[in-house]
Amino acid sequence: MSLSRSCTHHVSLPKPGPGFDVIGLALSMYLELRVSIDRTQPSDPSIPLNCTVSYTGVGADEIDLNPANNLITRTALYVLRCHDQHDFPAQTHVHIHNPIPLGRGLGSSGAAVVAGVLLGNVVGDLKLSKRRLLDFCLMVERHPDNVAAALYGGFVGTYLNELDPDDMARKEVPLSEVLPQPAGGVDTGLTPPIPPENIGHYRRFNWAKEIKALAIIPDFEVSTAKAREVLPKTYSRQDMIFNLQRLALLTTVLSDSPPDPDLIYSAMQDKIHQPYRKTLIPALPAILSSMSPKTHKGLLGICLSGAGPTILALATENFDAIAGVIVQRFKDEGISCEWKILEPAEDGATVQEVPGDVPSYLREIRQT
Ligand SMILES: Nc1ncnc2c1ncn2[C@@H]1O[C@H](COP(=O)(O)OP(=O)(O)O)[C@@H](O)[C@H]1O
Ligand SMILES: N[C@@H](CCOP(=O)(O)O)C(=O)O
């Protein structure tokens, strides 16, 4: 029997403003996998881990297609190995179509982790609940904002539960034990750390239909790991209260219809990550200090998307002009940008059976 399955994942654009590592927004860019398992064929020992990978979309020259190195397939292997399945089923092929720019703060890695977890669940026929899938995601990407938004869709608030000491230790094992690279074959003898139950939690919020998300995407990468290294380990009480006061309002004001620009603009101010990340993103200070609903009609609020360098501007109208100003600010620093108008993606990650024989995945990749 042959089968072809597709998984679709939405990119998450995390945390408007003060919700660092807390709130996430899934937006209308879709990472898509096509998975085929040719069960008519026996295992071929020359195929590492029984899996071949192909890729279309952005970053094709960067992504490693060796299943032992690729983030999506390594994550899937982690899920499989936690269930005593050491390799992919014989003759698995995974086609990845990825429109999400890499290393730009648009959640490409969060979407890839969600994709990998769903891939493991599908090819291993594990039938894990979404809640359990989130545990696996959180063993790999340890801040919950991106993966919860990509998995569940929409505008979400997230938190990590206080686990008992044993579970906490299990959750905090080094990432290299969760995702060894390269992911060795069956003979490594390594037992993967099984995620504790109920690592994190999420809650969907409403989103006012008038609000669109402009993503202005500079032509350079900032790795999330690097952008987290520049953050301080501790913060002043004053700065924490500043963010908490705004975050308490933000989730509500983004659901109000019609939106209140002044309130949204104020609620999107941040003192715990953007000031430190300015050093990595040349135009950020000029953009944040010069744009507001008073200077730009239709603008509601502006912040770094994820760890940057993408700028997220929430707006109701006047999109070309708002994006044009931000593009120009980057241009002044010698950086070119593309920009997109995006909307919340409500559905989260989905898996569909695709009828037809194995080669059909090549024809069915959605071009976005
Ligand atoms: N579709 C994908 N397939 C495989 N690896 C991916 C994919 N998307 C992202 N990655 C990995 O994640 C890295 C980017 O992650 P990160 O620095 O967290 O940036 P961001 O998540 O903001 O795009 C890429 O360099 C790549 O290694
Ligand atoms: N909350 C995280 C989000 C990182 O998102 P990414 O898209 O840059 O991976 C952070 O701000 O570090």
Side-chain angles (χ1 to χ4, degrees):
M1 185 192 112
S2 300
L3 66 88
S4 180
R5 280 175 168 157
S6 77
C7 314
T8 312
H9 312 275
H10 303 146
V11 57
S12 69
L13 262 172
K15 66 167 165 19
F20 172 75
D21 278 3
V22 179
I23 56 176
L25 174 62
L27 285 166
S28 49
M29 260 197 268
Y30 303 92
L31 168 62
E32 192 161 339
L33 304 189
R34 294 279 162 163
V35 188
S36 61
I37 302 170
D38 189 347
R39 296 191 198 274
T40 61
Q41 300 298 317
S43 175
D44 176 348
S46 69
I47 300 177
L49 305 163
N50 286 332
C51 181
T52 52
V53 180
S54 56
Y55 186 97
T56 51
V58 297
D61 47 346
E62 280 179 55
I63 295 294
D64 194 328
L65 300 188
N66 179 336
N69 295 325
N70 182 278
L71 178 60
I72 295 177
T73 45
R74 278 160 68 220
T75 302
L77 274 171
Y78 165 57
V79 176
L80 289 171
R81 288 174 178 178
C82 284
H83 293 87
D84 296 323
Q85 298 184 35
H86 290 281
D87 287 338
F88 285 92
Q91 304 281 351
T92 300
H93 181 81
V94 181
H95 183 87
I96 302 166
H97 179 67
N98 177 35
I100 309 169
L102 307 174
R104 307 297 165 76
L106 287 162
S108 76
S109 57
V113 167
V114 173
V117 168
L118 263 77
L119 176 61
N121 192 38
V122 166
V123 301
D125 203 17
L126 303 176
K127 301 186 172 57
L128 301 175
S129 65
K130 270 206 169 175
R131 185 172 165 156
R132 188 66 182 139
L133 296 175
L134 182 61
D135 290 332
F136 280 90
C137 292
L138 289 171
M139 290 294 283
V140 181
E141 178 144 308
R142 294 176 179 200
H143 47 90
D145 44 353
N146 293 16
V147 289
L151 184 61
Y152 288 104
F155 178 36
V156 298
T158 62
Y159 61 84
L160 297 177
N161 283 309
E162 296 235 287
L163 302 174
D164 68 42
D166 284 351
D167 282 352
M168 191 60 96
R170 201 141 45 100
K171 188 199 93 178
E172 285 175 357
V173 297
L175 188 57
S176 57
E177 290 179 31
V178 178
L179 290 191
Q181 188 173 15
V186 189
D187 50 353
T188 56
L190 290 176
T191 316
I194 311 279
E197 301 270 344
N198 206 15
I199 299 177
H201 198 66
Y202 88 104
R203 171 74 161 84
R204 282 276 288 260
F205 301 122
N206 293 325
W207 183 268
K209 59 183 184 321
E210 299 89 337
I211 306 178
K212 310 283 181 243
L214 290 181
I216 298 88
I217 310 165
D219 188 18
F220 69 98
E221 293 186 25
V222 171
S223 92
T224 305
K226 194 168 167 198
R228 292 177 80 83
E229 275 167 23
V230 300
L231 302 180
K233 297 256 180 297
T234 56
Y235 291 92
S236 69
R237 177 159 70 178
Q238 209 179 5
D239 286 352
M240 289 310 296
I241 290 174
F242 180 97
N243 269 50
L244 289 171
Q245 287 172 335
R246 279 148 190 82
L247 185 55
L249 299 188
L250 184 61
T251 54
T252 299
V253 295
L254 288 174
S255 72
D256 285 347
S257 194
D260 178 332
D262 293 332
L263 210 44
I264 292 176
Y265 179 78
S266 302
M268 285 179 65
Q269 303 305 304
D270 162 80
K271 288 202 176 182
I272 67 175
H273 75 106
Q274 291 179 172
Y276 305 97
R277 289 172 163 170
K278 282 176 178 171
T279 53
L280 302 172
I281 302 152
L284 184 62
I287 292 166
L288 294 179
S289 63
S290 66
M291 300 185 74
S292 74
K294 292 198 170 38
T295 60
H296 293 83
K297 186 166 175 278
L299 179 64
L300 299 173
I302 193 158
C303 66
L304 208 51
S305 171
T310 293
I311 302 293
L312 179 67
L314 301 183
T316 51
E317 58 176 322
N318 212 15
F319 307 118
D320 286 12
I322 293 168
V325 174
I326 299 171
V327 169
Q328 184 59 47
R329 292 271 185 236
F330 277 110
K331 203 170 171 191
D332 295 342
E333 302 284 344
I335 297 163
S336 58
C337 294
E338 61 168 326
W339 66 277
K340 296 175 189 297
I341 303 180
L342 300 168
E343 302 199 42
E346 300 295 341
D347 288 347
T350 57
V351 179
Q352 297 142 10
E353 295 274 343
V354 178
D357 283 339
V358 174
S360 59
Y361 70 85
L362 286 172
R363 297 194 304 272
E364 290 167 353
I365 297 157
R366 183 171 48 195
Q367 300 298 324
T368 42

